[in-house]
Amino acid sequence: MYSRSLLLAACTLHLGLLESFAGSIQLSTSFPSDIEASKTVFDKCVEVFGLRVLATSGVSETKTLHTANVLAEYLDNDEDGNIDQPEVLAALKGSSNAQIATMVLFATEEEQESKQSQFEAFENSITRAQNLFAMEIFENGSNGSDRDATLEEVLHLVTDKGWDEAFPSIWGEKEGSSIANAMDLARGGKFLTIPSFYPSGAWYTYYDETADYGTQITEYVYWATTTYLGGQDWPGRIHSEFTGEWKPYTRTMLESTDSAVVALLTSADYKFPISKLPDGNYLPSSISTT
């Protein structure tokens, strides 16, 4: 989940805005010069629209590429070869190389902890990141008790460092933004800290006491987005295992329960990623140049 402690924080490449897909997503063992030192921890690197996915030797190439493709699909959700919302990509790239938004993949949480001291040598080179563990990546999609957490953790990176910063009054993870107001409705009131109990009519009831108000919003956006896309009703899912936190699990249920968030997700003012649930197979229909 988003509230897990992070070893790293994400990174941002050059300042130019790459809006078009220029070639296939490929693994590389050579790293950009500004994060060369990170090779003491990671041995695989994938660049996606100027963003980065780094993985240790304990993460397979297949799982690394799956993560990179999901990232591409959230940025170019209609897969026409162009970034859907350029302002979001610009925010994800940040204002320096050290701010480039980055997914960091480890085999397990234990492996991440074991590499903590090695990270200290280059921590200033990667300052904005989201972690993900190989054991929770299912490249063939969610099925039964196997939930592909890639859809969640990658979306956290995109919304937390992208949409939040590009459009703070609408998607900002703060009090008073449009998405915050929608979340307050879903929780049955504004709770800056986790309440002991939520009102009986609430459909978003997140009880992680380590989560601040902003993190509550990040999780809310994940639940709403993936529900709208059909990502919470996978084959063999035991719904009762999840509805303690989020009750609607189909688009129809979401539309009848949370009209405020549906209005934001589908607003013509933005191109939020609601065209297709990412499946790890980014296949742009047109390849254009910048």
Side-chain angles (χ1 to χ4, degrees):
M1 303 297 288
Y2 181 79
S3 58
R4 298 176 307 181
S5 60
L6 296 182
L7 171 66
L8 308 175
C11 45
T12 299
L13 206 52
H14 44 77
L15 302 180
L17 184 61
L18 178 63
E19 297 183 0
S20 303
F21 185 71
S24 60
I25 294 174
Q26 297 180 340
L27 279 170
S28 176
T29 55
S30 15
F31 286 30
S33 59
D34 61 292
I35 56 170
E36 185 69 25
S38 69
K39 295 184 77 171
T40 59
V41 173
F42 306 104
D43 73 339
K44 292 180 283 293
C45 177
V46 184
E47 294 194 69
V48 181
F49 290 113
L51 308 180
R52 296 162 176 172
V53 176
L54 303 178
T56 68
S57 59
V59 182
S60 70
E61 293 184 358
T62 302
K63 290 180 184 292
T64 304
L65 284 170
H66 176 72
T67 304
N69 275 269
V70 169
L71 176 57
E73 289 177 285
Y74 274 131
L75 296 172
D76 174 21
N77 196 235
D78 58 10
E79 297 194 26
D80 68 351
N82 299 294
I83 290 294
D84 295 336
Q85 197 75 49
E87 298 92 335
V88 171
L89 179 60
L92 288 166
K93 287 185 174 183
S95 59
S96 69
N97 280 5
Q99 292 184 347
I100 298 173
T102 303
M103 290 299 302
V104 289
L105 278 52
F106 300 89
T108 61
E109 187 171 3
E110 290 72 26
E111 183 192 48
Q112 173 180 293
E113 293 173 352
S114 72
K115 294 180 181 295
Q116 177 68 54
S117 60
Q118 293 170 272
F119 169 67
E120 294 175 359
F122 59 88
E123 60 185 344
N124 293 328
S125 299
I126 302 176
T127 60
R128 297 193 303 161
Q130 174 65 49
N131 63 346
L132 176 63
F133 304 126
M135 58 186 290
E136 56 186 1
I137 299 173
F138 294 93
E139 54 268 40
N140 293 321
S142 300
N143 188 67
S145 60
D146 296 335
R147 182 187 74 96
D148 183 15
T150 315
L151 298 180
E152 176 177 2
E153 306 307 336
V154 174
L155 184 61
H156 284 338
L157 181 73
V158 171
T159 60
D160 183 35
K161 304 304 180 186
W163 286 89
D164 165 58
E165 296 184 14
F167 304 104
S169 65
I170 306 299
W171 297 100
E173 298 172 350
K174 61 181 182 179
E175 291 182 68
S177 69
S178 298
I179 190 64
N181 292 339
M183 181 189 73
D184 291 340
L185 291 174
R187 299 171 83 195
K190 179 183 289 186
F191 303 102
L192 300 183
T193 58
I194 304 299
S196 298
F197 299 97
Y198 284 95
S200 59
W203 55 90
Y204 174 45
T205 51
Y206 196 58
Y207 280 103
D208 185 347
E209 294 185 356
T210 65
D212 59 18
Y213 189 73
T215 301
Q216 292 280 330
I217 297 173
T218 304
E219 293 288 345
Y220 173 65
V221 173
Y222 154 71
W223 280 115
T225 304
T226 52
T227 299
Y228 187 87
L229 290 170
Q232 295 299 333
D233 192 24
W234 65 80
R237 181 185 194 258
I238 300 175
H239 299 305
S240 60
E241 294 181 358
F242 299 90
T243 51
E245 181 174 322
W246 176 257
K247 292 182 172 55
Y249 52 84
T250 68
R251 180 183 295 188
T252 299
M253 293 172 70
L254 182 67
E255 290 174 334
S256 63
T257 303
D258 198 331
S259 59
V261 79
V262 170
L264 287 172
L265 294 174
T266 60
S267 171
D269 294 333
Y270 309 95
K271 292 193 68 176
F272 204 76
I274 56 164
S275 298
K276 172 190 174 186
L277 182 72
D279 60 5
N281 296 291
Y282 177 60
L283 300 171
S285 58
S286 65
I287 305 299
S288 56
T289 56
T290 310

